[in-house]
Amino acid sequence: MRNVGILVFDGFDLMDVAGPYEVFLTASRLSERDGGAPLYSITMIAPDGADVSAYGGLGVTGLTSAADAGAVDVLVVPGIIDLATGRADRVLAAAVRTLSDEATLVTSVCTGAFFLADAGLLTGKSATTHWEDVPDLAELATVGEAVPGMRWVDAEDVVTSGGLISGMHMALHVVARQHGDELASRTARQIDLDWSPRPER
């Protein structure tokens, strides 16, 4: 069973987290329904373990600190509306580095790609983000290529995705990578999402 670590922090985009969370839980539930083992466990992580509030004010509690989370198989880093404030948060930046150092696969949703870039994870790699922010991502020296028009970009050990719902498409791609297209397609049907194994919009 793979452990998915989802990093949250004040101001994160709720759907960036809720979408992948539901995808991984649903894929695991379908496996169990078929008589197999659960595929994923999920750990909700905050930089220091304290409660956080999503953009709009919804609170999230019961979180694990980055220092206590240990190694995760899949790390999900969501985006934020106030990107300048998020990128200036040294505790958040340290958490991204700590968790990504131990993760087998690092993923981002929306402007979460900027946190990966700041951590040096996108050097020489192709990546994407919300369509409005692709030009700004392209200006970063730590990004190999910013790719527009894609729901996700797979750069082997790093997978970035566009805004909001694209995070669900990206998570389904991760399920497909790890457990096959059939389970990913069944998961997409279960959550009533029109998903394609191709990343183009």
Side-chain angles (χ1 to χ4, degrees), residues 22 34 103 156 163 181:
E22 187 64 32
D34 292 343
E156 297 184 357
D181 284 353

Side-chain angles (χ1 to χ4, degrees), residues 45-136:
I45 305 168
D48 58 4
D51 297 350
V52 300
S53 294
Y55 176 74
L58 182 67
V60 183
T61 64
L63 304 170
T64 300
S65 71
D68 292 335
V72 298
D73 297 295
V74 181
L75 174 64
V76 179
V77 180
I80 189 173
I81 300 297
D82 188 353
L83 186 55
T85 296
R87 293 179 71 190
D89 186 334
R90 294 182 181 179
V91 177
L92 174 55
V96 172
R97 289 192 298 270
T98 295
L99 293 166
S100 62
D101 282 347
E102 299 293 331
T104 303
L105 177 64
V106 179
T107 73
S108 68
V109 185
C110 198
T111 54
F114 287 84
F115 299 128
L116 303 193
D118 292 343
L121 298 172
L122 300 182
T123 302
K125 296 182 183 294
S126 297
T128 196
T129 186
H130 189 281
W131 62 267
E132 287 184 327
D133 300 294
V134 169
D136 290 336

Side-chain angles (χ1 to χ4, degrees), residues 1-5 20-43 72-74 171-188:
M1 183 167 60
R2 291 178 170 90
N3 182 26
V4 178
Y21 184 95
E22 187 64 32
V23 166
F24 290 119
L25 282 184
T26 300
S28 193
R29 177 164 56 90
L30 290 177
S31 175
E32 290 185 271
R33 194 169 75 180
D34 292 343
L39 303 178
Y40 298 102
S41 62
I42 298 177
T43 302
V72 298
D73 297 295
V74 181
L172 286 162
H173 168 68
V174 172
V175 171
R177 264 185 55 163
Q178 297 176 338
H179 300 287
D181 284 353
E182 181 181 0
L183 179 60
S185 295
R186 289 178 58 209
T187 302

Side-chain angles (χ1 to χ4, degrees), residues 11-23 54-55 76-81 108-113 128-133 150-152 160-172 191 193 201:
F12 75 92
D13 275 323
L14 183 61
M15 186 56 71
D16 291 3
V17 166
Y21 184 95
E22 187 64 32
V23 166
Y55 176 74
V76 179
V77 180
I80 189 173
I81 300 297
S108 68
V109 185
C110 198
T111 54
T128 196
T129 186
H130 189 281
W131 62 267
E132 287 184 327
D133 300 294
M150 306 289 277
R151 292 194 185 279
W152 72 85
T160 54
S161 61
L164 298 172
I165 301 301
S166 288
M168 299 179 75
H169 290 266
M170 177 274 293
L172 286 162
I191 62 177
L193 182 68
R201 292 184 182 280

